Amino acid sequence: ILNVEQSPQSLHVQEGDSTNFTCSFPSSNFYALHWYRWETAKSPEALFVMTLNGDEKKKGRISATLNTKEGYSYLYIKGSQPEDSATYLCAFESSGTSYGKLTFGQGTILTVHP
Amino acid sequence: NAGVTQTPKFQVLKTGQSMTLQCAQDMNHNSMYWYRQDPGMGLRLIYYSASEGTTDKGEVPNGYNVSRLNKREFSLRLESAAPSQTSVYFCASRTDRDYGYTFGSGTRLTVV
């Protein structure tokens, strides 16, 4: 069973703060690292799919970086807004397993207070 | 464009009853997946279908069966429901490995 760890488990910030959280994954047999945003009462929504070491992706105020050699990815949110409150999931996709299966971390729950 | 549609949204079963969770996507995606979400645990893969006509076991397949009826539809069957199968079930689909999953809205299943 692959080990995908996310930290912290939960985070409370004030509106306007910048924040970041971590996803750790196996450094071998890497194919891709995914980030998803999961708002309450909705389904997870894809943010980024990252495949290359050193990749940086950006979507509005959210960005992510990837280090496949050491097995970690950071997700950054600049100037957090209450609407950023959600659970952020990362998922590891191995090159050594069958097509398209993802192993998810447990998520980081972000709460942004007005 | 509906995306991924799951039915039903809620279901209560008695131990030993059977049911089928339905999933359909209208995006012409090749691969489809069933996950379950339990408190304190990440999404865990039950079964997946890499393409029409193929299915494979995931991490937690015991007690479940699947059918990839055609390219659009991928159903999950509980033959004899157990309380341990109380969970939220998500169906997802994907066109290829350059893209993330598109998830359905989930089915909340309670087995009493």
Side-chain angles (χ1 to χ4, degrees), chain B residues 31-92:
Chain B
S31 304
M32 298 184 74
Y33 310 84
W34 277 105
Y35 283 82
R36 60 180 286 174
Q37 169 72 39
D38 300 295
M41 308 190 79
L43 289 160
R44 292 183 294 166
L45 182 65
I46 306 170
Y47 269 94
Y48 67 102
S49 171
S51 60
E52 185 179 357
T54 68
T55 61
D56 282 289
K57 295 178 181 179
E59 183 185 348
V60 287
N62 290 346
Y64 305 95
N65 283 301
V66 290
S67 296
R68 183 76 183 266
L69 303 170
N70 46 55
K71 193 171 185 179
R72 291 186 64 247
E73 298 172 286
F74 188 39
S75 61
L76 179 72
R77 182 159 178 85
L78 286 70
E79 291 291 352
S80 178
S84 60
Q85 294 177 305
T86 293
S87 188
V88 182
Y89 292 84
F90 285 95
C91 177

Side-chain angles (χ1 to χ4, degrees), chain A residues 1-19:
Chain A
I1 295 177
L2 300 171
N3 200 27
V4 180
E5 300 282 345
Q6 292 188 246
S7 62
Q9 284 190 319
S10 65
L11 195 55
H12 291 257
V13 301
Q14 292 296 126
E15 183 175 353
D17 288 350
S18 293
T19 187

Side-chain angles (χ1 to χ4, degrees), chain A residues 1 31-32 34 36 38 42-46 49 51 89 93-106, chain B residues 30-31 33 35 37 40-43 45 48 50 56-59 90 94-101 103-106:
Chain A
I1 295 177
Y31 184 85
H34 298 230
Y36 292 82
W38 192 356
K42 295 186 177 180
S43 47
E45 175 188 341
V49 179
T51 57
L89 300 173
E93 184 173 359
S94 170
S95 61
T97 60
S98 299
Y99 188 91
K101 297 193 301 181
L102 301 185
T103 300
F104 285 85
Q106 292 188 27
Chain B
N30 294 314
S31 304
Y33 310 84
Y35 283 82
Q37 169 72 39
M41 308 190 79
L43 289 160
L45 182 65
Y48 67 102
D56 282 289
K57 295 178 181 179
E59 183 185 348
F90 285 95
R94 185 185 195 186
T95 184
D96 63 43
R97 298 184 86 171
D98 290 334
Y99 298 90
Y101 286 179
F103 282 89
S105 57

Side-chain angles (χ1 to χ4, degrees), chain A residues 4 6 13-15 19 24 26 30-31 33 35 37 40 45-46 52 56-57 63 72 75 89 94-95 97-98 109 112:
Chain A
V4 180
Q6 292 188 246
V13 301
Q14 292 296 126
E15 183 175 353
T19 187
S24 300
F30 176 86
Y31 184 85
L33 193 282
W35 283 100
R37 175 169 56 200
T40 303
E45 175 188 341
L52 297 176
E56 291 189 31
K57 300 264 187 177
S63 60
Y72 65 84
L75 189 79
L89 300 173
S94 170
S95 61
T97 60
S98 299
I109 303 169
V112 182

